[in-house]
Amino acid sequence: MASLRRVKVLLVLNLIAVAGFVLFLAKCRPITTKSGDSYHDIHPRAEVANLTAHGISSIQDAVLKRLSLLEDIVYRQLNGLSKSLGLIEGYGGRGKGGLPATLSPEEEEKAKGPHEKYGYNSYLSEKISLDRSIPDYRPTKCKELKYGKDLPQISIIFIFVNEALSVILRSVHSAVNHTPAPLLKEIILVDDNSDEEELKAPLEEYVNKRYPGLVKVVRNQKREGLIRARIEGWKVATGQVTGFFDAHVEFTAGWAEPVLSRIQENRKRVILPSIDNIKQDNFEVQRYENSAHGYSWELWCMYISPPKDWWDAGDPSLPIRTPAMIGCSFVVDRKFFGEIGLLDPGMDVYGGENIELGIKVGATG
């Protein structure tokens, strides 16, 4: 709380300074700040003669410089939160650009236990930034599409149980970094009764300070299972649209607009964002080609080739109509999801929702 109070005080003081500058146009002393190992002066106000010559432009430049300084101060305050957990923020470091991340021989030895525990290299995950950049594999035409400014807001719901803290927080950071702020109503973390200590107070304190008011944590008092955990997240969601994801994902830029646009056009659609792969050993991002989802003869969901009419259109930016879905990543209008009965809480069997939602949504047309 002390860190958050310091940030608030800095914000208030800087806003007062900017307001005083705009109102009185008085001179002030240069501000000396440190950048790397060198110092430089910031002159947030110009001489009165220069103001006459340059007018509004000088005022805007001075305000932008002061805000830039404030942004740096706030970032350093918030970045300290992750350091206290042994985690890293920023866009550089290992695994940058979705490339394979590596460990030294000494680190490899330390990573063996956590790797076996989680099924992925959680020790390596802690060495990768929570904000790392990953490739944008969208077709060129997708990047050129334009969307309206009145798209609905989304509540992103992450479900987890005994997941590595770094992986959960990278999912959260990724969602915040790559979802336009006006479209992101909230992020809901549903903890299905984890017993890992780092997922209790450390997780909650971090998100409350790092993203105050944006991230909610829901705690199941007993292990409910995947389906009922998703329903608990839906109950507290307030966005017009709800997105359900496993808590080990990373979003790319531009993921939200086409999804929300499709639902805005027809609220009875369930949208499955295109999914690539993050390798469990080195966190390399591996591209998957466009595909649809279908069933095997055992009714397991599987990737299938898109239908012929999609191929004939010759436009990879077009959506693919698909008869099935996978439960780890889907987006749906919140009220419509309730109207079709959500997911059957009694069918808490791996892959059960693949069949259920496919049938329910197909029946509504």
Side-chain angles (χ1 to χ4, degrees):
M1 291 304 294
S3 175
L4 183 58
R5 282 196 297 270
R6 286 197 298 271
V7 172
K8 289 181 178 177
V9 170
L10 288 167
L11 284 169
V12 171
L13 290 175
N14 275 268
L15 288 174
I16 291 172
V18 172
F21 165 60
V22 173
L23 289 174
F24 301 108
L25 299 179
K27 295 181 181 179
C28 77
R29 290 172 297 176
I31 300 173
T32 302
T33 62
K34 185 176 181 181
S35 177
D37 294 326
S38 62
Y39 287 84
H40 62 278
D41 290 338
I42 296 178
H43 298 268
R45 307 185 190 185
E47 298 290 345
V48 174
N50 289 336
L51 285 171
T52 303
H54 300 289
I56 301 294
S57 177
S58 296
I59 298 176
Q60 291 175 336
D61 288 345
V63 172
L64 288 174
K65 287 178 180 178
R66 186 172 288 276
L67 290 177
S68 178
L69 174 62
L70 173 61
E71 183 182 45
D72 180 63
I73 294 171
V74 172
Y75 176 77
R76 281 189 269 114
Q77 289 285 337
L78 296 177
N79 195 29
L81 298 175
S82 61
K83 286 182 178 178
S84 67
L85 297 174
L87 304 178
I88 306 166
E89 293 190 43
Y91 293 94
R94 306 187 209 190
K96 177 182 177 181
L99 296 175
T102 58
L103 294 171
S104 67
E106 295 78 12
E107 290 174 325
E108 287 283 2
E109 194 64 30
K110 296 177 182 178
K112 289 181 179 178
H115 197 156
E116 294 172 359
K117 178 178 180 179
Y118 292 105
Y120 51 75
N121 197 335
S122 62
Y123 183 89
L124 175 59
S125 175
E126 295 175 358
K127 311 300 179 185
I128 298 173
S129 172
L130 301 177
D131 300 301
R132 75 149 174 177
S133 58
I134 60 175
D136 185 350
Y137 288 134
R138 291 177 297 165
T140 300
K141 190 169 182 179
C142 285
K143 300 176 185 179
E144 297 171 350
L145 294 174
K146 305 297 181 183
Y147 301 95
K149 297 181 178 180
D150 61 340
L151 294 174
Q153 289 187 310
I154 185 170
S155 296
I156 295 178
I157 301 170
F158 291 119
I159 312 300
F160 68 90
V161 56
N162 292 331
E163 196 89 59
L165 177 61
S166 61
V167 170
I168 296 173
L169 293 183
R170 190 173 300 109
S171 299
V172 172
H173 275 247
S174 174
V176 174
N177 291 343
H178 295 117
T179 307
L183 302 181
L184 182 57
K185 179 68 174 179
E186 63 207 347
I187 294 175
I188 300 169
L189 301 176
V190 183
D191 173 16
D192 196 22
N193 200 232
S194 298
D195 44 40
E196 294 288 339
E197 286 301 320
E198 67 176 6
L199 301 181
K200 297 179 182 178
L203 168 64
E204 201 147 344
E205 290 174 4
Y206 177 86
V207 296
N208 286 342
K209 291 178 180 179
R210 187 66 176 80
Y211 300 112
L214 181 64
V215 180
K216 303 175 182 177
V217 180
V218 176
R219 305 279 189 185
N220 289 340
Q221 297 306 305
K222 62 184 181 71
R223 192 69 51 81
E224 297 288 354
L226 195 60
I227 301 301
R228 289 187 290 275
R230 288 194 182 118
I231 294 174
E232 290 302 312
W234 177 87
K235 287 178 181 178
V236 303
T238 59
Q240 182 180 338
V241 175
T242 47
F244 298 86
F245 300 92
D246 287 350
H248 43 254
V249 300
E250 294 179 51
F251 295 86
T252 57
W255 81 273
E257 294 90 332
V259 170
L260 297 175
S261 176
R262 293 283 293 165
I263 292 178
Q264 185 180 54
E265 293 170 0
N266 183 349
R267 64 185 292 268
K268 294 185 177 182
R269 288 172 175 157
V270 175
I271 307 299
L272 312 178
S274 180
I275 299 175
D276 296 308
N277 181 48
I278 301 174
K279 293 184 178 180
Q280 63 183 22
D281 294 325
N282 56 20
F283 289 83
E284 178 185 5
V285 178
Q286 177 185 26
R287 183 179 182 179
Y288 280 175
E289 295 299 329
N290 288 329
S291 63
H293 300 281
Y295 299 113
S296 68
W297 286 109
E298 293 81 19
L299 293 182
W300 285 105
C301 186
M302 58 183 291
Y303 290 112
I304 61 174
S305 177
K308 183 177 182 299
D309 58 354
W310 185 85
W311 288 109
D312 290 343
D315 183 357
S317 71
L318 292 175
I320 302 171
R321 187 173 175 85
T322 181
M325 60 158 283
I326 55 176
C328 66
S329 170
F330 67 96
V331 182
V332 60
D333 179 275
R334 183 184 179 279
K335 289 185 178 178
F336 173 65
F337 196 38
E339 290 167 6
I340 62 174
L342 304 173
L343 295 166
D344 182 355
M347 196 195 301
D348 205 351
V349 178
Y350 180 78
E353 73 274 26
N354 302 344
I355 305 170
E356 181 185 3
L357 265 187
I359 294 172
K360 282 183 174 179
V361 175
T364 64

